[in-house]
Amino acid sequence: MAFQSLATSKGYRDMGREKCDCDGNQKWLSELSETIMTYALCGFANIPTMGIMLGTMAGLAPKRKKVFSKILAKTCVAGTICCLIRGCIACIFPSGHFKLGKVNIYEQHIKFESMTNQSFVAREIFAEIRQKISSEYPDRLVGYPNRLHLWEEDKKNWKYESEWTNANSMILTGAAFYHKYYSHAYYQQTPAKIVDWVDDHMNCEDILMNFVIANLTAKAPLKVSPRKKFKCTECSQQVSISVDPGHMVERSECINFFVEEFGKMPLKAVEFRADPVLYKDDPEKHMLLPLL
Ligand SMILES: *[C@@H]1O[C@H](CO)[C@@H](O)[C@H](O)[C@H]1NC(C)=O
Ligand SMILES: *[C@@H]1O[C@H](CO)[C@@H](O)[C@H](O)[C@H]1NC(C)=O
């Protein structure tokens, strides 16, 4: 019975259900708890086994049958304690749980969120592949308007590049999602000086998010979909800051400022894109996005 509920709980987790329902009942356990439970439950400390053990031991040493029956209850208690201790030991060993270090510890909270509300469109596209991405790349910033940072040797400066390039090192957060832990990392763990700087300039929060994630994971973001741009139809009435010609200069300034504050350039460039294998087979799904 215990195994059955453990399996149900694991099933809920694998399906990516919400961890708690509205009444605050937990629907599934974290991966670590599952490991502990599995080891703790894999034992023979139960009442039917007591009978089996008594039969076996009495068969081996019939003269000591009385002694066996006397200590039977105690052995069951001792056995239970052993099982629990085994669970404790099992959780010490490095399992998949610690594989990704800091970030993966939060895996049980997997729930992607985005910096702006614009990405609800992206969410629709990603709905299908999101489950897969969230389990395979929980630590990545996933989305599609991609950008690159370049080193300008003559100016000894970093440059923000938005031209079409093969490589990418940043994903803009307009149509992207990421582990909610990174929102915490952004607002709580990033030095206030940097966050305030972004707030004052009202620009580059997306670049900073890329820096925060790359600083924690030393990995590049994951670009999905062949799309290059993201246009929010709902926001089209507003004047976009990217129309301003000074915008690109300011974006480069942001990168240089962040590099100075982080003490290094954490961004990693990759030439990589992930798409669902059959993404072209269902044009309907792609119609969810306004045509650009
Ligand atoms: C985000 O956008 C969706 C779709 O337009 C809307 O229903 C929702 O209320 C918005 N949420 C916020 C917090 O603005
Ligand atoms: C970068 O990450 C390290 C931990 O990996 C952290 O100690 C440091 O504060 C981070 N830097 C910034 C500027 O957030």
Side-chain angles (χ1 to χ4, degrees):
M1 216 161 76
F3 268 115
Q4 208 165 24
S5 36
L6 187 61
T8 317
S9 132
K10 183 172 186 323
Y12 280 148
R13 186 170 65 79
D14 289 344
M15 281 189 288
R17 290 264 189 101
E18 289 284 322
K19 186 157 188 178
C20 297
D21 61 19
C22 302
D23 308 327
N25 295 320
Q26 200 154 325
K27 301 303 269 185
W28 47 262
L29 300 168
S30 68
E31 205 175 332
L32 183 62
S33 311
E34 269 170 19
T35 313
I36 297 174
M37 287 292 286
T38 309
Y39 277 94
L41 287 174
C42 269
F44 286 97
N46 54 48
I47 292 163
T49 314
M50 280 163 68
I52 298 169
M53 282 312 285
L54 185 61
T56 316
M57 300 305 271
L60 288 173
K63 285 188 189 156
R64 310 206 49 141
K65 201 170 163 183
K66 261 194 192 147
V67 182
F68 292 143
S69 44
K70 240 190 225 166
I71 60 167
L72 202 57
K74 284 183 199 163
T75 58
C76 190
V77 174
T80 308
I81 295 171
C82 284
C83 289
L84 298 179
I85 292 174
R86 187 173 43 202
C88 298
I89 294 171
C91 78
I92 301 172
F93 288 114
S95 67
H97 195 75
F98 296 108
K99 206 168 46 195
L100 295 168
K102 205 168 177 180
V103 174
N104 219 27
I105 293 170
Y106 291 83
E107 199 170 14
Q108 64 259 46
H109 302 300
I110 288 265
K111 186 175 166 194
F112 285 91
E113 57 182 40
S114 139
M115 284 189 106
T116 59
N117 195 32
Q118 297 169 10
S119 53
F120 70 91
V121 188
R123 271 177 215 207
E124 285 177 37
I125 315 191
F126 296 151
E128 239 174 293
I129 51 170
R130 197 169 137 186
Q131 173 66 39
K132 199 162 171 50
I133 288 175
S134 62
S135 57
E136 286 180 12
Y137 305 100
D139 53 345
R140 306 274 180 139
L141 174 65
V142 179
Y144 60 74
N146 55 311
R147 296 291 183 267
L148 186 64
H149 67 285
L150 292 174
W151 176 250
E152 289 185 306
E153 193 55 49
D154 48 341
K155 294 185 193 151
K156 300 274 177 240
N157 249 341
W158 292 102
K159 180 171 178 267
Y160 176 79
E161 180 63 70
S162 66
E163 292 304 314
W164 290 60
T165 56
N166 260 336
N168 69 81
S169 61
M170 286 173 269
I171 299 286
L172 304 190
T173 49
F177 55 88
Y178 52 82
H179 196 295
K180 71 175 177 186
Y181 169 66
Y182 295 131
S183 290
H184 170 77
Y186 181 107
Y187 289 107
Q188 308 296 327
Q189 294 173 358
T190 308
K193 185 181 168 192
I194 311 180
V195 178
D196 291 347
W197 194 87
V198 166
D199 289 348
D200 291 346
H201 287 73
M202 282 177 63
N203 197 351
C204 302
E205 80 293 343
D206 45 0
I207 299 182
L208 179 55
M209 184 52 95
N210 279 275
F211 268 74
V212 166
I213 297 178
N215 178 47
L216 289 172
T217 62
K219 286 180 186 172
L222 182 69
K223 167 153 170 63
V224 291
S225 139
R227 276 166 199 285
K228 182 77 184 151
K229 292 183 184 167
F230 173 69
K231 207 182 260 169
C232 168
T233 41
E234 254 83 315
C235 327
S236 58
Q237 304 306 322
Q238 301 161 13
V239 179
S240 165
I241 55 166
S242 55
V243 176
D244 181 353
H247 176 70
M248 299 307 269
V249 178
E250 193 162 276
R251 303 282 277 178
S252 295
E253 272 170 22
C254 291
I255 295 189
N256 285 298
F257 173 75
F258 296 154
V259 168
E260 205 173 291
E261 291 302 316
F262 276 74
K264 62 178 176 189
M265 165 48 87
L267 300 179
K268 301 263 184 283
V270 284
E271 294 183 20
F272 183 80
R273 191 182 90 199
D275 288 314
V277 176
L278 296 176
Y279 81 93
K280 280 194 170 161
D281 290 3
D282 196 352
E284 294 260 328
K285 294 235 162 58
H286 288 263
M287 298 311 282
L288 288 172
L289 253 202
L291 291 173
L292 303 174

